Amino acid sequence: MKINICPLDPEEKIKGSDWVLIKKSVKRNAEIACNFLSIGALNVTIYPNKDWCIKETGDGGYTASSDWIQLFVDPTKLISKIIEASFPATLYHETNHARRMLKVGFGKTLLETIISEGLAIVFAEEMFESFVAPWGKYTNDEIKKLYKIFLTHKDDEKFDYEEWFLGFGKPHWLGYKVGAYIVRELKQKDKEFNSAKMVDIPASKIYEAWYNSGASNNLK
């Protein structure tokens, strides 16, 4: 296993002692994630930029390819608090995407993308149990409404990611919540579907297994 960690901070928005904390967290959690997901090589870049972070947590991430994840931190917030509260979960979320890209791919249809996000949310919460993603929280009434919106578009290949996942025209975090719901319910219904196994299973099979488990009856 080889992990390259590359901080990107030419304007020195983050002080040296905080970079030590960040790199230590990335190294420790990236090694755990790579071992668990059988990732042989991973490049991790970390960039301080408030605009690319989720305001609720002060961090964010993006998976560029199967061997490259990008992490972002808000330099205006207390770095040690971000690392303690959510930063490892963000890394686990993105490494799950990277691993899925190796065989299955992130997703071309809305269904595939929603399942990929759901898998990453649940994996991050399993690996960093103190964190529960705000974008994965929902009430029973809320998830019923969101699922109905998703159902009429699940096979769409042309869709706006920001609309479905970030609330630009749709309920905020719709895609994340539906994906998290499907993955969580399937894991409860069928113990054979765990994070290590599901990362390589096509979205259509995960959705079919979830639907056939009877979990969808809760949304009627």
Side-chain angles (χ1 to χ4, degrees), residues 29-213:
N29 293 290
E31 287 178 349
I32 294 172
C34 288
N35 278 323
F36 190 91
L37 296 170
S38 299
I39 296 174
L42 185 67
N43 298 296
V44 184
T45 54
I46 311 109
Y47 183 51
N49 189 310
K50 179 181 179 180
D51 295 336
W52 293 350
C53 295
I54 299 168
K55 65 178 181 179
E56 288 84 354
T57 62
D59 59 8
Y62 174 75
T63 303
S65 67
S66 62
D67 63 355
W68 178 21
I69 67 171
Q70 302 171 7
L71 303 176
F72 311 107
V73 290
D74 184 348
T76 69
K77 292 187 175 183
L78 186 63
I79 300 299
S80 59
K81 184 176 181 180
I82 294 172
I83 292 173
E84 179 182 354
S86 62
F87 191 67
T90 299
L91 184 146
Y92 286 116
H93 184 112
E94 301 305 328
T95 52
N96 188 271
H97 284 332
R99 178 62 178 79
R100 192 160 175 79
M101 285 181 179
L102 279 173
K103 291 187 177 181
V104 179
F106 179 70
K108 294 182 179 180
T109 66
L110 180 61
L111 171 63
E112 290 170 349
T113 304
I114 277 178
I115 293 298
S116 287
E117 291 293 2
L119 290 171
I121 289 170
V122 174
F123 177 68
E125 292 176 350
E126 288 176 348
M127 303 303 288
F128 193 65
E129 294 181 351
S130 62
F131 178 76
V132 178
W135 45 92
K137 294 180 181 178
Y138 41 76
T139 64
N140 289 336
D141 288 341
E142 180 186 17
I143 200 65
K144 289 179 181 179
K145 293 176 182 177
L146 298 182
Y147 179 73
K148 287 179 180 179
I149 298 172
F150 152 74
L151 196 57
T152 59
H153 296 274
K154 72 181 183 67
D155 296 319
D156 288 2
E157 292 188 7
K158 293 183 179 180
F159 62 92
D160 187 329
Y161 185 91
E162 292 189 346
E163 178 182 7
W164 284 93
F165 292 87
L166 303 179
F168 291 83
K170 291 283 191 301
H172 197 36
W173 291 331
L174 187 161
Y176 290 119
K177 292 182 179 184
V178 172
Y181 179 85
I182 290 172
V183 173
R184 286 172 181 151
E185 290 296 305
L186 177 56
K187 287 187 61 183
Q188 288 185 5
K189 293 284 186 178
D190 191 336
K191 301 305 180 182
E192 290 187 8
F193 285 87
N194 54 56
S195 292
K197 180 178 179 180
M198 281 199 283
V199 73
D200 286 332
I201 299 177
S204 59
K205 291 187 177 181
I206 291 175
Y207 182 78
E208 182 182 8
W210 167 80
Y211 189 86
N212 291 337
S213 72

Side-chain angles (χ1 to χ4, degrees), residues 5-45:
I5 302 172
C6 182
L8 304 174
D9 190 12
E11 298 178 6
E12 297 183 351
K13 294 180 180 180
I14 295 178
K15 61 185 181 181
S17 58
D18 282 336
W19 272 120
V20 171
L21 294 176
I22 291 171
K23 288 189 284 187
K24 183 178 180 180
S25 177
V26 169
K27 184 177 185 298
R28 178 175 64 251
N29 293 290
E31 287 178 349
I32 294 172
C34 288
N35 278 323
F36 190 91
L37 296 170
S38 299
I39 296 174
L42 185 67
N43 298 296
V44 184
T45 54

